[in-house]
Amino acid sequence: MRDFVRDLRYAARILLRSPVATSVAVLALALGIGVNAAALIGISSLILHPLPYPRLERIVTIWGTAPKVHSERTPLTAADFTDLRKAAHSFDKLAGYRTWDVNLTGAGNPEHVQAFQVSADFFSVLGSSAARGRTFASENELSHPRAVVVSQGFWKSHLAGSPAAVGASISLSGQAYTVIGVMPDQFDFPLGTEVWSTLILDRQEQQDRNTRNLMVLGLLKPRVPPSEARAELTAIGLRLGHQYPRADEGRTIVAVPLGELTDQVTNHFLLTLLGAAGFVLLLACANIGNLQLARAAQREKEMAVRVALGASRFRVTRQLVAESVLISVVAGGLGLVAASWNNDYAKSSIPEVAMRQVPGLRTMQVDSTVVVLTLVVSLLAGLLCSAPAIAQVVHRKMRADLNDVLRGRGGSSPARSRLRSVLTVFELAIALVLLVGAGLMVKTFDRLLYLNQGFDPTNVLTMKVSLPAAEYARATQLTAFYDRVLQGFATIHGVQAAGLSSPLGEGDGLSIEGRPELRPGEPRPEINAISGRYLEAMRIPLLKGRSISAGDRADSPYVAVISATMARYYWPHANPLGRKIRLSAQSPWLTIVGVCGDVIEDWFSGLPSPAAYLSYAQFPNSSASLVLRTSGAPLQWAAPVRRQIGKVDKNLPVYELQTMQETIAQSRSGVQAAAHAMTTYAVIALLLAATGIYGVISYFVESRTHDIGVRMALGASRSQVVEMTLRQTARLVATGLVIGVPLAIVLTRIMSSALDNVLDLNPATFLLFAGVLTLCALLASYLPARRATRIDPVSALRND
């Protein structure tokens, strides 16, 4: 170790003698290590440590399955939860939680709050306690029947971060609740939750086997393997299916580790970017390896003398390794700093909706895992950078060649020239892979950005409202509110059409009059309750019949409009108008009165899903999205819209008010970020490859100075010398393309498979970027070729 430290000191002196070359090497390698550190930040935060809870390996989420619709994760009923508490013995604790639509009122403008009702064991299952105050002590919180625990962010933004907030009262949907605790900043489950209240299940709910709105967490007992818990849950699910066939037949209960609930698409994107970042690092290492070869050629006399004086090849090799490691460690530090800056910038541009959907995104930062992994990557990069020069040291017999080296005949070794060419060919192949990958990512993002989803998002303003159950307990109250709001919107100048849409879930229990029960796997429609002008506001075309109208009320016949995909599947050769469907055993029969165009909800696949649209007056819901088609830029109507809703209910907040185009852009922000990252990697790769070409052609010109001088003395023109130089470039580029194209095809197919085949594999992309790489390589070789034409034949022959 002492000798290696001495080697590092000597390496520092050697590197400082040529500050320009050393700076170029450090910066090039810092780029490669920096992009890897940036990818590692995402890997550490979003894949390795997305959920910062102790005993994470023992925490599972418990779901029901719906085989008839091929759904493996559906919420449970309150009755299921009650049965599990009695019958499941593999768990120390079970906790239930469900969404709670609630608004913060009584302090300035009303505001929607993301809230959940949770059972008493919720926080203890997750191994978390309050930073201030306490969490729920008992199931019913008998001492505080209206108690809430708030997040750190809510405490700071709404309670001024005051210690006196614990015990204070806040108004939620017009009712007073006592704050009994504040959670620590790192606690964020479910993502984005600001307020937790008590989950109180009355006797009627505990017997409800139809309302599936309860998520369940379980903490495994210390010595119970997950397989045993899964077997027990399966047995309980089968027993409930036999005991309650009407509600649970065919359903099972499954357990999924909490750590596996991270977004798989995001994980695949991150792993793809890490692979691309690894290619950038390999390219940088090849570039620095070429530079180290050149430095070794310049220092060949020094090394030959050292070997002649008794230094072993291991000693010389260790010196080369020390120089490369020193460069790589300094580059690693710079790369880590750059990655940290990039992370701060990236987080500032991430939409809030993504923060609420992707675990670990909010806390993404440089942690100890990233630092250690970056150090390992830096050391490995240093070893890779020194490998070409070491190979030359091992290959050449320096004792035997000492006289030749001292006479200056050792610098243009054919073996060294071949090795530099091999490294450059490798750079070109890797650069092509990154260019093609970036091109495919960008093309895919453009395709998704301009995908026709079946409606027109331009000039559409969208917002959400959630009506509190305490004030809107009856269906007539819900309907009356929406009626007044829509009538008010119609009076606003510049509003061309206004409508509402309220999701009612998936029609798992779809039945068609006159037909047998649907087979498992047959498509079930997404159900939305809409107003009469919703299709007009969204410009979803009506293909047959009529739309939902103002006359479709609770006291009139129940009707439905279905999408074209649903019509084609269930009535491929018949007219669906007038047919009757039922969405569950409890719902009434609905008469199909219209067929509308398809809406593509899953823009990732680009495939339409079947849909059914009902009347909001016949199926009122407390939560709804309001949409307005305007005659100009939609945000101009934000203030009038808020005022109109305030006239109907001054305590009701409007949230997520934005243009439809902003909503779509936010949903695709992850693909956009990946496309930008891949583009950055490709630009870096192109620069590194061009630098490598420049270095090799410069070396080619230098090593053939005598040959060029002879040619020019015998009458060769400058264009012939340039042609000879560019021919060398063309050979390298052609070899790089021959290797790079098949490699790019293989790796892009792997990328596409990992990303659910979202990439648009197009041969034109390969041809385009092969041409771009060839052009850049030829441009990079222009300066050395031009320098070759200025060689003085007499000087070249005299120097030889």
Side-chain angles (χ1 to χ4, degrees):
M1 179 57 71
R2 185 181 305 168
D3 290 341
F4 188 69
V5 172
R6 188 162 52 245
D7 287 340
L8 288 176
R9 292 200 195 99
Y10 181 68
R13 291 197 297 271
I14 291 294
L15 293 173
L16 290 175
R17 289 177 189 172
S18 50
V20 175
T22 300
S23 299
V24 170
V26 169
L27 289 176
L29 200 54
L31 282 174
I33 295 175
V35 296
N36 277 269
L40 288 172
I41 291 173
I43 295 292
S44 176
S45 299
L46 305 183
I47 297 181
L48 299 181
H49 312 110
L51 301 168
Y53 306 124
R55 308 175 301 190
L56 185 61
E57 72 284 354
R58 290 173 51 200
I59 304 175
V60 299
T61 57
I62 301 175
W63 305 87
T65 66
K68 291 184 179 181
V69 292
H70 287 186
S71 178
E72 297 180 356
R73 294 180 187 175
T74 62
L76 301 179
T77 64
D80 293 333
F81 181 51
T82 303
D83 290 333
L84 285 176
R85 280 180 153 180
K86 296 176 181 177
H89 303 294
S90 301
F91 301 92
D92 266 344
K93 297 175 183 177
L94 289 172
Y97 61 102
R98 65 185 177 193
T99 56
W100 183 34
D101 271 332
V102 68
N103 302 316
L104 180 66
T105 55
N109 293 326
E111 184 178 338
H112 180 71
V113 174
Q114 184 165 338
F116 277 81
Q117 293 177 334
V118 302
S119 62
D121 287 332
F122 176 81
F123 295 104
S124 59
V125 166
L126 293 169
S128 301
S129 56
R132 295 176 180 274
R134 63 178 180 85
T135 59
F136 305 123
S138 65
E139 199 64 40
N140 294 320
E141 271 295 318
L142 297 179
S143 59
H144 294 283
R146 288 183 182 165
V148 293
V149 176
V150 300
S151 69
Q152 189 85 187
F154 185 93
W155 175 63
K156 292 177 180 178
S157 60
H158 295 89
L159 300 174
S162 170
V166 176
S169 178
I170 60 175
S171 178
L172 297 175
S173 296
Q175 295 184 329
Y177 285 80
T178 301
V179 176
I180 64 169
V182 179
M183 296 305 294
D185 190 46
Q186 65 270 22
F187 186 87
D188 188 19
F189 189 85
L191 292 180
T193 304
E194 299 172 279
V195 174
W196 296 267
S197 181
T198 51
L199 173 67
I200 302 175
L201 301 174
D202 57 29
R203 183 177 297 276
Q204 182 178 353
E205 281 188 295
Q206 292 178 20
Q207 297 174 353
D208 183 357
R209 298 194 175 275
N210 296 307
T211 306
R212 303 183 183 278
N213 64 357
L214 203 62
M215 283 74 74
V216 177
L217 292 174
L219 178 65
L220 291 170
K221 290 181 177 178
R223 285 178 291 277
V224 173
S227 57
E228 182 178 327
R230 285 194 293 268
E232 183 182 47
L233 291 175
T234 300
I236 294 173
L238 291 174
R239 178 175 58 79
L240 292 177
H242 291 302
Q243 192 171 352
Y244 306 101
R246 186 179 178 87
D248 293 324
E249 184 179 14
R251 293 180 179 270
T252 57
I253 299 176
V254 297
V256 180
L258 181 61
E260 293 182 10
L261 288 184
T262 56
D263 184 71
Q264 294 303 311
V265 173
T266 300
N267 293 351
H268 291 163
F269 268 117
L270 284 172
L271 292 173
T272 300
L273 291 179
L274 181 62
F279 279 172
V280 173
L281 182 59
L282 287 176
L283 215 162
C285 289
N287 220 311
I288 307 306
N290 253 331
L291 180 63
Q292 292 293 73
L293 272 177
R295 295 169 69 97
Q298 294 172 356
R299 297 170 57 195
E300 195 164 32
K301 289 183 181 180
E302 171 205 334
M303 293 184 180
V305 170
R306 292 177 68 183
V307 172
L309 293 176
S312 65
R313 293 188 186 179
F314 174 75
R315 180 71 180 79
V316 175
T317 297
R318 194 176 68 195
Q319 182 61 51
L320 293 173
V321 170
E323 293 174 16
S324 293
V325 167
L326 191 58
I327 289 174
S328 67
V329 169
V330 174
L334 291 176
L336 194 60
V337 171
S340 179
W341 288 344
N342 176 74
N343 179 65
D344 293 339
Y345 169 76
K347 286 180 66 175
S348 67
S349 61
I350 295 174
E352 183 61 29
V353 64
M355 291 286 194
R356 295 196 302 266
Q357 292 175 352
V358 182
L361 200 56
R362 192 182 299 276
T363 57
M364 192 166 59
Q365 62 183 352
V366 175
D367 55 20
S368 58
T369 301
V370 174
V371 173
V372 171
L373 290 177
T374 302
L375 178 60
V376 171
V377 167
S378 301
L379 294 176
L380 291 176
L383 294 175
L384 281 175
C385 290
S386 60
I390 291 172
Q392 284 298 297
V393 169
V394 173
H395 179 264
R396 289 180 60 80
K397 299 177 180 178
M398 286 189 161
R399 284 184 200 276
D401 295 339
L402 178 59
N403 290 332
D404 288 339
V405 171
L406 293 177
R407 291 192 188 102
R409 297 174 184 170
S412 57
S413 162
R416 180 178 288 116
S417 180
R418 285 194 298 272
L419 185 54
R420 296 195 70 177
S421 297
V422 167
L423 288 174
T424 303
V425 167
F426 173 77
E427 289 185 60
L428 289 167
I430 294 300
L432 180 63
V433 172
L434 289 172
L435 282 170
V436 171
L440 293 176
M441 281 281 198
V442 172
K443 284 193 65 177
T444 297
F445 173 69
D446 286 342
R447 175 175 63 81
L448 296 176
L449 184 63
Y450 299 108
L451 174 70
N452 182 2
Q453 291 187 251
F455 58 88
D456 181 7
T458 58
N459 291 342
V460 174
L461 185 68
T462 179
M463 70 216 74
K464 292 182 179 180
V465 293
S466 292
L467 308 183
E471 299 176 29
Y472 296 89
R474 297 192 303 273
T476 54
Q477 293 175 308
L478 295 172
T479 303
F481 171 84
Y482 293 132
D483 286 344
R484 292 181 61 191
V485 167
L486 293 175
Q487 290 166 7
F489 286 170
T491 65
I492 299 175
H493 179 70
V495 174
Q496 298 176 344
L500 72 82
S501 172
S502 181
L504 301 179
E506 195 171 82
D508 295 355
L510 176 66
S511 300
I512 300 176
E513 188 178 43
R515 294 193 185 182
E517 184 179 356
L518 300 185
R519 298 186 304 274
E522 287 195 280
R524 268 63 168 181
E526 290 289 337
I527 308 170
N528 285 275
I530 64 171
S531 63
R533 301 191 69 186
Y534 175 78
L535 297 182
E536 179 186 350
M538 295 294 289
R539 289 186 178 168
I540 300 172
L542 186 66
L543 305 179
K544 291 181 181 179
R546 68 172 179 87
S547 178
I548 300 297
S549 72
D552 297 320
R553 312 298 291 181
D555 56 356
S556 61
Y558 284 75
V559 297
V561 174
I562 63 173
S563 66
T565 293
M566 184 174 176
R568 281 193 301 269
Y569 187 87
Y570 288 109
W571 295 276
H573 306 295
N575 187 353
L577 298 183
R579 305 298 177 95
K580 291 189 176 182
I581 60 174
R582 189 165 61 179
L583 302 173
S584 70
Q586 291 76 35
S587 74
W589 287 97
L590 305 153
T591 301
I592 298 175
V593 296
V595 178
C596 66
D598 288 319
V599 172
I600 298 175
E601 297 287 351
D602 184 7
W603 51 265
F604 218 58
S605 69
L607 299 175
S609 301
Y613 300 94
L614 317 180
S615 169
Y616 79 93
Q618 295 177 340
F619 294 88
N621 192 22
S622 61
S623 298
S625 296
L626 303 171
V627 294
L628 291 85
R629 179 161 296 279
T630 61
S631 58
L635 290 178
Q636 298 178 36
W637 280 264
V641 163
R642 287 185 184 276
R643 284 196 298 269
Q644 185 59 48
I645 294 176
K647 290 179 182 179
V648 180
D649 187 340
K650 65 179 181 179
N651 291 321
L652 188 71
V654 177
Y655 60 103
E656 294 186 24
L657 191 151
Q658 57 192 357
T659 69
M660 182 64 72
Q661 289 175 314
E662 287 175 332
T663 302
I664 294 173
Q666 288 177 355
S667 68
R668 300 171 189 179
S669 59
V671 181
Q672 182 182 25
H676 287 171
M678 283 294 291
T679 302
T680 302
Y681 296 171
V683 170
I684 294 173
L686 197 58
L687 290 174
L688 291 174
T691 305
I693 283 286
Y694 175 83
V696 166
I697 298 304
S698 295
Y699 183 79
F700 172 75
V701 170
E702 181 182 346
S703 64
R704 301 198 64 178
T705 299
H706 174 72
D707 181 39
I708 293 172
V710 169
R711 288 170 181 266
M712 297 187 71
L714 294 176
S717 66
R718 291 190 172 187
S719 62
Q720 288 175 321
V721 173
V722 170
E723 180 185 353
M724 179 190 70
T725 309
L726 294 182
R727 195 182 303 120
Q728 174 72 6
T729 302
R731 281 196 292 267
L732 293 174
V733 171
T735 308
L737 294 181
V738 167
I739 297 173
V741 169
L743 187 61
I745 292 174
V746 171
L747 291 179
T748 50
R749 288 192 179 279
I750 293 174
M751 283 173 55
S752 182
S753 176
L755 300 176
D756 295 333
N757 297 313
V758 69
L759 292 185
D760 184 13
L761 301 182
N762 191 331
T765 304
F766 290 79
L767 294 176
L768 173 64
F769 287 106
V772 169
L773 188 61
T774 301
L775 180 61
C776 288
L778 292 175
L779 289 175
S781 64
Y782 172 73
L783 289 178
R786 184 181 175 188
R787 188 167 64 247
T789 64
R790 296 179 177 177
I791 292 175
D792 181 8
V794 177
S795 299
L797 294 173
R798 184 184 300 119
N799 289 339
D800 187 64

